[in-house]
Amino acid sequence: MDLSVMFFGADTADQSSTADQSSTADQGSTAGPGRVADHADGAGTGRHEQTYQDILAVARAADRLGFHALWTPERHFQQVGQVFPSPPVLSAALAVATERIGIRAGSVVLPLHHPLRVAEDWAMVDNLSHGRVGISVATGWHSADFVLAPEHYRDRRERTFQAVGRLRALWAGEPGEYPDGTGRPVKVLPQPRPVQPTLPLWLTSSGNPATWQAAGHLRAGVLAATVGQSREQLAALIADYRKAAAQAPEQGGTGPHGRVTLMTHTFVGRDDAHARRLAAAPLKAYLASYTRQTSANRRAIRAGPRWTSGRPRCSPTTPSNAIWPGAACSARPGNARGCSPTSRNSAATRWPASSTSNRT
């Protein structure tokens, strides 16, 4: 068993201000003009310069002490994980600050990004780290994160699973065909080329059995947690995942046994009392902030979608490819053009329909 370090926690900067603002935000279910959205939890106004220095210090120590990998999350606009909006940027810094430890994304919220950009960003980190990169991709769960790509929220699961093969192919050096600024399809190859010929890849899951099954079918690893399910439930998920992986064809991923990486909140102290004294307050602050986020997201889901007929609206002058490669706009009588996702890969696997559940 390999031991790794995952960076993920509540920011302590300006806590009193954060508590006041989040309490106010939690009273409403939506954000109007001039209001802070519920998910922001006040966001805090503290300086983060020292936090990044602490992260680098922890990374150097983990590298020196023989830990297997460093995992960094992707979080946007939230009090939990304020300092983690861009895994590849931080991972580039970690790559040059360390020598041997693995550099992992845990996770890249794939529906928020173009696969070409993901391939290029992480190929650059792979070069800076001399081939130590691995990424876990997530579907995303918080609706407010998708202000970066609102039209991708409802079908985020399908987008993620279908993009895995595309991302692997781009990493391996196969050009991809996408519309350019004029709408003309062009073949492009991401640069720079990575050090590793095959991208080490995981799917992130908070316990949804469909995600574990998809990871097995894709021969991807699974990044999951020990919380949120019993040991018996976790064992059943792992067994079903490994069965799916064993039956899946070779596709440049894991072996037939798969790969499972589990996160757990851990603090090592002299004894239980010492560990509780030092870790209790930070852990409670993290859990309280996480609970506020999940509550706000549930309220947003209950409020219902703002899209007409479940689809974002394009302006009549917007070319179809301007929304996102793979989104097509069609004219509708007496109406602005509507957008609907289309797949460029006719052989793509059809995945279960998206759910509004927080579980991924």
Side-chain angles (χ1 to χ4, degrees), residues 124-346:
M124 185 164 63
V125 180
D126 202 44
N127 279 274
L128 290 170
S129 66
H130 305 291
R132 291 184 279 142
V133 154
I135 70 172
S136 187
V137 297
T139 62
W141 63 276
H142 205 300
S143 60
D145 289 355
F146 282 79
V147 299
L148 297 172
E151 66 277 10
H152 295 177
Y153 181 66
R154 289 179 63 83
D155 62 344
R156 60 195 182 278
R157 289 178 56 80
E158 296 92 328
R159 285 180 178 272
T160 299
F161 300 152
Q162 291 174 0
V164 166
R166 200 176 317 157
L167 183 58
R168 282 172 165 166
L170 292 170
W171 187 274
E174 297 180 21
E177 185 174 284
Y178 300 93
D180 67 7
T182 68
R184 180 175 57 92
V186 294
K187 286 189 175 182
V188 292
L189 183 66
Q191 299 291 348
R193 301 307 308 139
V195 174
Q196 300 176 96
T198 302
L199 174 64
L201 189 74
W202 289 253
L203 287 186
T204 302
S205 174
S206 61
N208 189 330
T211 303
W212 286 78
Q213 285 287 318
H217 293 312
L218 291 167
R219 285 279 182 97
V222 174
L223 177 63
T226 57
V227 298
Q229 62 250 321
S230 67
R231 290 186 179 182
E232 292 75 20
Q233 290 171 324
L234 184 59
L237 288 170
I238 293 174
D240 289 343
Y241 158 70
R242 287 183 169 155
K243 182 178 179 180
Q247 295 173 350
E250 170 59 38
Q251 48 199 300
T254 70
H257 194 61
R259 181 194 301 119
V260 177
T261 302
L262 296 175
M263 303 174 283
T264 186
H265 298 104
T266 306
F267 185 89
V268 179
R270 292 192 300 269
D271 51 41
D272 287 351
H274 176 249
R276 288 193 180 97
R277 180 171 61 82
L278 294 181
L283 181 59
K284 288 178 180 177
Y286 157 70
L287 293 174
S289 181
Y290 177 78
T291 301
R292 287 195 298 271
Q293 286 183 65
T294 55
S295 297
N297 194 51
R298 289 192 187 100
R299 288 196 298 272
I301 291 172
R302 284 197 299 268
R306 298 296 182 90
W307 303 125
T308 301
S309 301
R311 293 187 178 93
R313 302 292 287 274
C314 307
S315 70
T317 57
T318 301
S320 61
N321 62 295
I323 300 298
W324 200 264
C329 290
S330 57
R332 297 177 184 234
N335 201 348
R337 294 195 293 177
C339 298
S340 59
T342 60
S343 172
R344 293 186 174 275
N345 183 0
S346 59

